[in-house]
Amino acid sequence: MKRFAKTWIPTMMALLIFLMPLLPVQAAAGASIRASLPQFPVSINGTKLDSSYSQYPFLLYKDITFMPMTWNNLQALGMGSEWSEEAGLHIWTNKNYPPPILASPVKQDLKESPNTAAGFSVQKAEGLIAINGSVIDNTSEPYPFFTFRDVTYMPLTWRYVHDLLQMDIRWSTTNGLELIGNQNVIGPLIGDDDTSLYFYSMTGDPAKSMMKMDKTFRHWEWLNRDAQDKFIGSLTASPHPYAGKPVELQRKDRNLYYKDIQIYTLTDSDVWESNTWGAPVHTYTLFPAGERAEIITVNLKLQIAAIGPNYGTTHTILIRDGKATELKDWAQKPDRVIPNPDGTVWIAASRLPSRNGYMGGSARLSLLDTDGTVHSVNELLNEADVMALGVTNPALANPAAADGSLDVVLLGRNIDFTTKDSAGLYTISTKLETKRRSSEIYGDAYLDKHRSVFIQHRNNTLENESTGEVKTWFDYELLPEE
């Protein structure tokens, strides 16, 4: 069973073991209820908390753990909050970018005398409560927010902690309840070699510009900016055989030709010249597509200043048996066109970055069969995004396996972007048969040069999907105080 699926928490604890912090500000108090100290360890970002001497201990109510929203807890978990009598209580996740790096463990609010009572009287919180804009009806919640010692307490339910606040919660009989958030040192993955994964760092320190992580997760080291530039250069030193190459087309009036085959006719907008930006820049790329076909992309881009990436307009044309056919579903350049042993050909593109994340519906996959028909996997599965793993990894010779099958990630969104229960990691064959390998993936999946799948989760957490090994590093471990 996957550790990051919703079902990894034991059934008894599934909804009951989460909690969150807030400033020592008391929301309006209501009816009294009874809570007690948990009889299991509780930790924040790897630091075991001293419940016996805590001024604001974690508490248990109806078998659910509640977290005191103190300043120290909020800072450690990357949370923010604001309360007023008029507006109520608003809680949100960290909005800063780059996110803050906390190179020290959570600070605890301890007192001299121990907490010896068998139970504590706490008051239900009243007034409006919202988490990242989602309003909570505290009057009807089975596990309501409450106040204790003038501090608001939050129930650590899956919805609040995982879904709304995007934090991690873990439970084991050995370590008890572990709450993890705001761990940000390990940045986006750059690439891999035979033994290691390489990540950008979020430290801002040129001497620690890149992290080299052994694929066994047992060893890591910091590398400087020069080493980072050298590694990135090694990845793109030679063109990938399935990534296409520039090609020259002949133009007669407004018609574009390849080997005397007319492939496209330029429209008025294609040739329109701006007084400020000039004429559109035309880029043509050729992809071999098996023994009988080729694919050419025509990209037309006006060099205009834009907020976010400027991809221009792309037309994708299939040439087979001397005939040119525009692929209307492909309004973007493929990342890879991959011939398979059975004569079929994959056409794959990863998600396109946008100003705020990624463009929905831009991760595309199609199969060109031996009869020359192009099948859209997005339409076949009714998925807005079909992310074929490995199609942007320059170190991977072929994203497809020996039999032509691909590893793909689905986000569980229909083409109309409504949600459904299909998110996860799959294998798809050249017969367009799918096999689900895991449920929803909470992170970015990466296919390395040996076709092992690694998943980068939030909070400095890496998973080797092939072996099931998962490991988390805390910021203060990676950046110890000197």
Side-chain angles (χ1 to χ4, degrees):
M1 183 176 294
K2 286 296 174 189
R3 184 173 181 180
F4 287 86
K6 291 185 180 180
T7 53
W8 75 265
I9 303 175
T11 303
M12 290 181 61
M13 307 299 296
L15 294 175
L16 322 174
I17 51 179
F18 309 105
L19 182 281
M20 310 274 336
L22 193 133
L23 294 172
V25 173
Q26 182 180 8
S32 295
I33 54 179
R34 297 290 290 179
S36 60
L37 294 176
Q39 300 302 305
F40 47 82
V42 177
S43 65
I44 292 180
N45 293 339
T47 299
K48 184 178 178 181
L49 304 180
D50 188 345
S51 296
S52 297
Y53 286 86
S54 175
Q55 177 69 26
Y56 312 107
F58 279 60
L59 293 175
L60 204 64
Y61 171 67
K62 289 186 177 179
D63 293 331
I64 298 290
T65 307
F66 286 67
M67 183 183 83
M69 301 185 72
T70 63
W71 172 259
N72 287 334
N73 290 347
L74 284 176
Q75 290 295 103
L77 294 168
M79 307 300 300
S81 71
E82 187 175 77
W83 179 85
S84 70
E85 189 172 353
E86 297 78 18
L89 173 63
H90 291 263
I91 306 164
W92 59 85
T93 48
N94 174 57
K95 301 175 183 178
N96 298 320
Y97 191 87
I101 304 298
L102 298 180
S104 60
V106 60
K107 295 180 181 179
Q108 301 189 53
D109 299 295
L110 302 178
K111 56 189 181 71
E112 293 184 0
S113 58
N115 296 305
T116 57
F120 303 93
S121 178
V122 302
Q123 288 73 45
K124 286 186 180 181
E126 294 183 339
L128 185 145
I129 299 174
I131 301 177
N132 279 336
S134 294
V135 176
I136 309 301
D137 184 1
N138 206 48
T139 60
S140 62
E141 286 291 326
Y143 313 108
F145 282 72
F146 59 67
T147 62
F148 176 62
R149 294 176 181 170
D150 293 337
V151 171
T152 303
Y153 276 63
M154 187 182 93
L156 294 179
T157 64
W158 180 269
R159 176 172 175 249
Y160 293 167
V161 176
H162 180 274
D163 294 347
L164 295 181
L165 291 166
Q166 299 182 347
M167 296 169 53
D168 292 329
I169 192 84
R170 303 175 189 173
W171 167 262
S172 69
T173 54
T174 302
N175 297 323
L177 174 64
E178 299 176 89
L179 193 59
I180 302 170
N182 199 34
Q183 303 303 293
N184 302 300
V185 167
I186 301 178
L189 194 149
I190 304 173
D192 73 289
D193 58 22
D194 285 333
T195 60
S196 301
L197 302 169
Y198 294 81
F199 301 86
Y200 291 108
S201 85
M202 304 301 290
T203 65
D205 183 352
K208 298 177 179 178
S209 183
M210 181 173 68
M211 171 176 283
K212 179 180 180 181
M213 176 66 69
D214 188 275
K215 291 181 181 179
T216 65
F217 301 160
R218 293 180 175 84
H219 307 286
W220 60 270
E221 63 177 306
W222 289 112
L223 300 176
N224 61 25
R225 182 67 56 78
D226 290 341
Q228 173 186 302
D229 293 342
K230 182 177 180 180
F231 175 71
I232 294 175
S234 70
L235 295 176
T236 57
S238 57
H240 195 282
Y242 299 152
K245 58 184 179 180
V247 64
E248 291 187 6
L249 301 181
Q250 292 75 48
R251 178 176 172 179
K252 299 178 181 179
D253 296 323
R254 290 195 179 184
N255 297 322
L256 298 177
Y257 291 84
Y258 171 71
K259 294 181 178 179
D260 296 327
I261 302 171
Q262 182 180 335
I263 64 170
Y264 183 71
T265 299
L266 298 168
T267 66
D268 290 343
S269 60
D270 293 335
V271 298
W272 176 77
E273 294 191 20
S274 165
N275 292 332
T276 303
W277 310 106
V281 176
H282 293 200
T283 305
Y284 314 125
T285 306
L286 172 69
F287 298 85
E291 295 182 357
R292 300 177 57 188
E294 295 171 301
I295 290 175
I296 291 179
T297 59
V298 176
N299 180 259
L300 312 164
K301 185 188 302 182
L302 195 63
Q303 300 301 295
I304 187 172
I307 300 175
N310 176 14
Y311 297 112
T313 301
T314 298
H315 302 275
T316 302
I317 294 92
L318 170 67
I319 301 174
R320 192 173 189 271
D321 299 333
K323 180 182 178 182
T325 305
E326 183 168 357
L327 305 181
K328 297 296 184 179
D329 289 337
W330 277 88
Q332 67 194 80
K333 178 182 174 182
D335 288 294
R336 299 286 187 268
V337 174
I338 307 164
N340 299 313
D342 61 1
T344 62
V345 178
W346 291 114
I347 309 169
S350 62
R351 291 186 296 176
L352 292 175
S354 66
R355 183 185 179 191
N356 297 305
Y358 293 93
M359 293 176 56
S362 60
R364 306 200 62 80
L365 181 65
S366 296
L367 181 76
L368 172 64
D369 67 20
T370 54
D371 294 329
T373 303
V374 178
H375 304 269
S376 169
V377 177
N378 296 68
E379 291 187 0
L380 173 68
L381 302 180
N382 190 19
E383 290 281 341
D385 290 278
V386 179
M387 298 186 290
L389 299 186
V391 298
T392 57
N393 182 0
L396 181 60
N398 189 347
D403 62 357
S405 62
L406 287 175
D407 295 325
V408 300
V409 170
L410 306 182
L411 300 181
R413 297 180 302 180
N414 292 307
I415 290 177
D416 63 2
F417 295 105
T418 55
T419 59
K420 59 180 177 177
D421 185 23
S422 61
L425 175 65
Y426 294 74
T427 298
I428 184 168
S429 72
T430 58
K431 298 184 183 298
L432 299 178
E433 299 169 338
T434 58
K435 179 181 179 181
R436 193 171 192 171
R437 289 168 50 180
S438 71
S439 57
E440 185 170 359
I441 292 177
Y442 301 110
D444 295 322
Y446 177 83
L447 192 68
D448 79 346
K449 66 180 301 183
H450 300 303
R451 304 199 76 258
S452 292
V453 177
F454 289 87
I455 303 171
Q456 183 178 6
H457 300 274
R458 59 201 175 200
N459 291 316
N460 297 338
T461 300
L462 302 179
E463 176 183 0
N464 185 332
E465 190 275 337
S466 303
T467 65
E469 185 174 3
V470 180
K471 185 170 177 59
T472 297
W473 294 262
F474 300 108
D475 285 358
Y476 59 83
E477 294 177 320
L478 301 175
L479 295 173
E481 293 181 331
E482 298 179 356

